[in-house]
Amino acid sequence: MEREIYLDNAATTPVHPDVAEAVMECMLHDFGNPSSLHRMGLRAEKKLKETRERIASALGVDPEGVFFTSGGTEANNLAIIGTALARKREGRHCITTKVEHPSVLNTFKYLEKEGWEVTYLPVNRDGVVSPDDVRRAIRPDTVLVSIMHVNNEIGSIQPVQEIGRLLKAQGNSPVFHVDAVQSFGKLDIKPVQWGIDLLSISGHKIHAPKGIGALYIRKGVKIHPLQWGGGQEKGVRSGTENMPGIVGFGEAVRWLEEEVDRGYLYRLKGILVAELTERVPSAVINGPPPEEGAPHILSVSFPGIRGEVMLHALEEKGVYVGTGSACSSRRGHMSHVLEAIGTKKDVAQGAIRLSLSYLNTEDEMRQTARIIGQCVKELEGFVRR
Amino acid sequence: MQRRVYMDHAATTYTKQEVLDEMLPYFKEIYGNPSSVHGFGREARKAVDLARERTAAALNVSPEEIYFTSGGTEADNWAIKGVAWANKERGNHIITTSIEHHAVLHTCQYLEKMGFEVTYLPVDSYGLVYPEQVKEAITDKTILISVMFANNEIGTIEPIKEIGQIARERGIYFHTDAVQAVGHIPVDVKDMNIDLLSLSAHKFYGPKGVGALYIRKGVKLHPFIHGGAQERNRRAGTENLPGIVGLGKAIELAVSNLEENSKRLTAMRDRLISGVLNSIENVRLNGHPTKRLPGNANFSFEFIEGESLLLSLDMKGIAASSGSACTSGSLDPSHVLLAIGLPHEIAHGSLRLTLGDDNTDEDIDYVLEVLPGIVKRLREMSPLFAQHKGGKHYV
């Protein structure tokens, strides 16, 4: 078998070797509880502070606004439920889109059961929401707008900058939450300039370990805690800090900020798309044109070949890809994102997601295109026309 | 070089090398998302399944009843809020105790604001809860009883089996925060009639950031974190794969060595306790003399500020705590020490030493050698002590 090529980085990424080393060091030697008063505790507290500052600086925000969570899902839950509960006297209407991650959609479904009203905005064929639609959906009782930066299945980029600006121009100014789990470390994010009040990020999508994430909360924005206890994270998120995770998160962000060329992913994607469309002219790209979408996500269908079949055929040859999002891949039904962009059922069922990381190589892109070409040829033999 | 003695294992433990060794491959090699259908994902899934089996075996439950969380605090929050919201049609009354961890207490206080009624049972001077009082507190509106397995500050072990029996007879859900107990003393969920149990890996030599909630099959509770279909639709979020693997290994290790470790720690603890009581005046042991966690020693020294004591010990290389780590930054005296009847000024002068697997007899010798001198020096600076001694002023 040829070398393995991992192209499911939107599901999760390998931990970077430097990150792994920092995590190990923390677990074996700097294992103190940051709340403890002795030296071991103080050392942990110092690390905690340094990491908070590093992440804040990557986002261009005040370190006081960075709150660590157990991951992107918890950050999204905290942002949405926390805002809804904190502002329930001001109104019970929220706005989001039809293409959000399940951790946003299912949290809103929960709020609906508890008496909130939620508007789910449509997207165009590229998977992009219209700022005008957002403006029209705003009501006097709208307290929260939650829109993802980059879609995890098709890579569409939402105009969050424009939406942030138009929301800040509103009289009652709803809180603006952005799920930036897929964009952090890949695209520029400027919460302060863009009028973003809350922003979710996750470690394991950027080569830090699983189990760590953060929510940025703009100063002055009220959030009702979900998890009560020892009062860590200024009472917003109680529970002993996941120090190895936090230290790893910091190291991954340092690596991204200092050692990574941000243009690299677009170059990889460009090669992949060019080679793929040349070798498999029948391939259908789902979502935005590749150069308009996120640099690391490509959703592509091969008419007549089911996504799962393709996935397993590729796996046989050492190429690992996803179908839809990992979170919903174990349930058979059609992706809500592909449905929202109007993908025909047979095309949607043929979708696979190729997602790249800074650790992939140009050669891997060419090999992948070649292997996909082979698989398509082999599988087409079995397809009835 | 100065001797370093870590005696704050109730705050957090280091991660054992064997645990770390098992976790390592799951960072850089087997790093798949357990929800992914490809090989990387399937291998990750297998590792999560194994950890679940190990955790279940340690508690004598079935693997389908184990749900991984981000830690003990989340497990406590989920158990209590989850039961409260899912059973509010049946009633709005919760029974707990006045010495719970803040993850339980503050969650209950939050629920009070939301219209629930909470009874906070008192404890005796050892910190023991009386099953009789639990029984008397039950009303026809009671939906949950939450009593910690062992107290994090004074180490007292509660009569969990008896309370579980009462709860089961009355058809009321019984939750126990067993964060300090699991891996340290025997916990048999089936035998003790426990419906929900919280545990945390970093208290038994696993990593921070991962814990679990045991939910007996059939218990009605709402999800706490919404999103993807992980943990059989009950706890969303990509699984903390290395953390979960570490938890599984750590709990297996802890439980398999439990008897031996507990015997060793108990002997060291008792030597520490009698050594302190014999060599220092005006000191009391907090918590029960025998019904206590193997590694826990908690003292109150009259005429001394706990924080000064901590700092002096730290300068001698001894890491200890004045109460729980979570509240050590606050100036309020411990709610646990107040609940066992200590006056404010004495509660302030308390010291928790929690032993662990890395401590040795020499560590005990060292503490016993250093502590009396520190106490004496601090008392000599204390105006209260001066008054007590009859007007001799040292300041």
Side-chain angles (χ1 to χ4, degrees):
Chain A
M1 201 169 87
E2 290 169 73
R3 211 174 79 80
E4 292 186 328
I5 302 176
Y6 183 78
L7 294 182
D8 198 12
N9 291 285
T12 193
T13 58
V15 169
H16 187 278
D18 294 352
V19 173
E21 208 162 292
V23 170
M24 290 303 123
E25 181 62 23
C26 179
M27 282 199 271
L28 280 177
H29 304 295
D30 300 331
F31 60 85
N33 184 327
S35 300
S36 292
L37 285 180
H38 47 69
R39 263 179 286 182
M40 288 300 286
L42 296 181
R43 234 156 73 190
E45 198 195 3
K46 192 163 159 260
K47 283 263 179 210
L48 179 62
K49 186 169 171 265
E50 282 168 10
T51 308
R52 206 186 300 283
E53 282 165 359
R54 173 151 281 152
I55 289 170
S57 122
L59 290 171
V61 300
D62 183 354
E64 297 277 296
V66 174
F67 296 82
F68 291 109
T69 67
S70 66
T73 292
E74 187 190 330
N76 283 339
N77 273 254
L78 178 58
I80 295 167
I81 300 176
T83 301
L85 291 178
R87 301 193 65 180
K88 66 181 180 205
R89 284 194 187 83
E90 294 154 62
R92 292 195 172 210
H93 177 243
C94 305
I95 298 169
T96 188
T97 78
K98 288 184 172 167
V99 296
E100 298 297 314
H101 187 266
S103 57
V104 167
L105 285 180
N106 288 339
T107 302
F108 277 122
K109 297 243 163 71
Y110 161 76
L111 282 181
E112 283 182 301
K113 269 192 260 166
E114 300 294 313
W116 272 263
E117 249 187 275
V118 182
T119 302
Y120 299 90
L121 295 174
V123 291
N124 66 15
R125 287 204 60 90
D126 291 344
V128 178
V129 71
S130 140
D132 273 339
D133 284 352
V134 176
R135 192 197 324 264
R136 277 191 290 268
I138 296 171
R139 316 190 315 206
D141 62 342
T142 306
V143 289
L144 171 67
V145 176
S146 175
I147 291 176
M148 72 200 319
H149 191 192
V150 162
N151 182 271
N152 53 311
E153 294 192 32
I154 57 173
S156 47
I157 302 173
Q158 303 299 350
V160 290
Q161 188 173 357
E162 213 178 323
I163 295 167
R165 204 178 309 130
L166 81 86
L167 289 176
K168 287 293 164 283
Q170 296 291 315
N172 64 342
S173 190
V175 168
F176 184 31
H177 168 242
V178 172
D179 169 2
V181 165
Q182 288 294 346
S183 62
F184 182 57
K186 288 137 199 156
L187 296 178
D188 269 352
I189 307 169
K190 298 193 167 90
V192 176
Q193 289 87 331
W194 297 0
I196 295 169
D197 300 308
L198 306 168
L199 185 108
S200 310
I201 56 177
S202 166
H204 77 103
K205 309 289 191 192
I206 57 160
H207 308 282
K210 296 172 183 63
I212 188 69
L215 181 66
Y216 158 70
I217 306 177
R218 186 173 62 77
K219 201 175 177 181
V221 173
K222 266 187 271 158
I223 283 278
H224 190 94
L226 296 187
Q227 190 165 301
W228 304 83
Q232 291 90 344
E233 299 297 283
K234 282 177 268 160
V236 171
R237 202 279 186 182
S238 287
T240 299
E241 295 86 346
N242 175 0
M243 284 310 298
I246 288 170
V247 166
F249 201 3
E251 181 55 26
V253 170
R254 185 204 61 76
W255 173 70
L256 285 171
E257 291 285 301
E258 293 174 6
E259 295 181 33
V260 156
D261 162 20
R262 285 286 174 96
Y264 182 63
L265 289 175
Y266 271 119
R267 285 206 298 281
L268 289 184
K269 191 181 182 184
I271 295 168
L272 180 64
V273 170
E275 297 257 334
L276 193 60
T277 44
E278 195 193 312
R279 285 177 188 275
V280 191
S282 63
V284 179
I285 288 172
N286 303 306
E291 65 285 0
E292 284 176 30
H296 66 304
I297 294 178
L298 184 71
S299 171
V300 57
S301 295
F302 305 95
I305 303 172
R306 288 181 65 95
E308 285 220 10
V309 175
M310 191 67 188
L311 182 146
H312 290 301
L314 286 171
E315 191 182 343
E316 295 272 307
K317 298 185 197 298
V319 178
Y320 297 88
V321 303
T323 59
S325 74
C327 305
S328 51
S329 60
R330 287 184 172 263
R331 291 168 295 173
H333 44 74
M334 182 170 164
S335 142
H336 68 285
V337 176
L338 295 179
E339 197 176 350
I341 61 170
T343 311
K344 286 202 195 94
K345 201 175 168 201
D346 58 325
V347 177
Q349 283 176 339
I352 59 168
R353 179 185 64 182
L354 304 160
S355 49
L356 322 177
S357 88
Y358 295 105
L359 301 180
N360 290 123
T361 63
E362 294 186 3
D363 193 48
E364 285 180 334
M365 299 301 108
R366 293 189 194 98
Q367 272 195 52
T368 300
R370 184 174 54 76
I371 292 168
I372 290 177
Q374 269 176 23
C375 287
V376 169
K377 232 172 245 153
E378 286 167 22
L379 290 169
E380 269 175 349
F382 296 100
V383 176
R384 264 177 256 147
R385 292 271 167 191
Chain B
M1 208 182 91
Q2 192 187 35
R3 195 182 177 88
R4 304 293 308 268
V5 175
Y6 186 79
M7 286 201 184
D8 200 11
H9 292 83
T12 192
T13 58
Y14 64 98
T15 304
K16 281 198 174 161
Q17 189 65 51
E18 301 98 297
V19 173
L20 212 48
D21 289 343
E22 289 234 357
M23 292 171 70
L24 256 171
Y26 295 93
F27 287 110
K28 292 192 285 188
E29 290 138 45
I30 313 167
Y31 50 80
N33 186 322
S35 299
S36 292
V37 292
H38 51 62
F40 277 79
R42 290 196 304 272
E43 267 193 83
R45 162 73 44 203
K46 251 192 252 163
V48 172
D49 288 346
L50 175 63
R52 204 185 303 284
E53 281 162 24
R54 286 171 162 174
T55 310
L59 301 174
N60 185 26
V61 301
S62 95
E64 299 82 62
E65 297 173 307
I66 299 295
Y67 296 84
F68 293 113
T69 67
S70 66
T73 295
E74 183 188 327
D76 283 339
N77 272 258
W78 181 13
I80 295 168
K81 283 164 81 174
V83 164
W85 295 124
N87 297 278
K88 59 176 193 268
E89 272 73 42
R90 279 173 49 207
N92 70 339
H93 181 234
I94 294 168
I95 298 170
T96 186
T97 80
S98 47
I99 60 163
E100 297 297 312
H101 188 270
H102 283 138
V104 169
L105 279 185
H106 290 165
T107 303
C108 287
Q109 284 157 9
Y110 162 75
L111 286 175
E112 280 185 287
K113 275 194 243 161
M114 297 287 134
F116 287 84
E117 273 177 48
V118 181
T119 302
Y120 300 92
L121 294 174
V123 292
D124 71 5
S125 60
Y126 292 129
L128 281 170
V129 177
Y130 286 86
E132 271 309 305
Q133 288 192 316
V134 175
K135 201 183 261 179
E136 283 161 20
I138 294 173
T139 72
D140 55 354
K141 294 256 186 294
T142 309
I143 52 173
L144 176 68
I145 297 168
S146 178
V147 176
M148 71 198 321
F149 208 108
N151 184 270
N152 52 313
E153 294 190 30
I154 57 174
T156 302
I157 301 169
E158 301 298 344
I160 291 303
K161 188 172 174 176
E162 289 80 352
I163 297 169
Q165 180 87 33
I166 292 167
R168 188 60 54 89
E169 277 163 12
R170 302 291 296 264
I172 297 164
Y173 289 145
F174 177 43
H175 166 248
T176 184
D177 169 0
V179 164
Q180 294 289 342
V182 169
H184 301 284
I185 52 175
V187 175
D188 185 328
V189 165
K190 286 274 143 68
D191 179 55
M192 292 168 169
N193 291 312
I194 295 164
D195 295 309
L196 300 133
L197 176 142
S198 311
L199 62 89
S200 168
H202 78 103
K203 307 289 191 189
F204 49 80
Y205 310 96
K208 293 176 184 59
V210 62
L213 180 64
Y214 155 77
I215 308 174
R216 186 175 58 76
K217 213 173 273 171
V219 167
K220 255 177 71 183
L221 97 166
H222 278 182
F224 178 60
I225 292 183
H226 310 267
Q230 293 92 346
E231 297 297 283
R232 286 140 295 155
N233 257 323
R234 284 182 121 163
R235 201 286 185 182
T238 298
E239 295 87 344
N240 176 357
L241 179 63
I244 289 170
V245 167
L247 189 156
K249 183 63 187 174
I251 202 168
E252 189 185 69
L253 273 179
V255 169
S256 63
N257 299 327
L258 194 140
E259 215 175 311
E260 190 186 322
N261 277 342
S262 150
K263 224 180 260 168
R264 195 180 80 90
L265 287 182
T266 304
M268 287 203 297
R269 174 200 76 191
D270 288 343
R271 197 159 74 81
L272 177 65
I273 290 175
S274 58
V276 168
L277 297 181
N278 289 334
S279 62
I280 300 173
E281 286 182 350
N282 298 92
V283 57
R284 59 162 277 161
L285 173 71
N286 296 314
H288 198 277
T290 54
K291 291 176 190 164
R292 73 184 304 137
L293 290 169
N296 176 293
N298 188 311
F299 306 99
S300 285
F301 299 92
E302 279 186 77
F303 321 114
I304 277 185
E305 281 290 332
E307 289 203 11
S308 322
L309 191 52
L310 278 193
L311 292 178
S312 304
L313 285 169
D314 199 22
M315 283 192 284
K316 294 278 186 189
I318 300 167
S321 149
S322 55
S324 71
C326 307
T327 48
S328 58
S330 104
L331 291 175
D332 297 332
S334 141
H335 67 286
V336 176
L337 297 180
L338 296 182
I340 61 171
L342 257 54
H344 267 71
E345 63 271 20
I346 295 175
H348 268 300
S350 66
L351 171 71
R352 181 184 71 175
L353 296 163
T354 42
L355 314 182
D357 290 1
D358 51 323
N359 290 132
T360 59
D361 281 323
E362 289 74 47
D363 290 343
I364 305 290
D365 292 340
Y366 182 60
V367 172
L368 288 176
E369 176 195 318
V370 165
L371 187 59
I374 293 175
V375 171
K376 182 162 177 278
R377 188 174 55 80
L378 291 173
R379 279 182 177 164
E380 281 168 356
M381 299 191 302
S382 156
L384 289 170
F385 188 64
Q387 282 167 22
H388 167 76
K389 284 280 175 189
K392 257 191 178 176
H393 292 277
Y394 291 91
V395 191

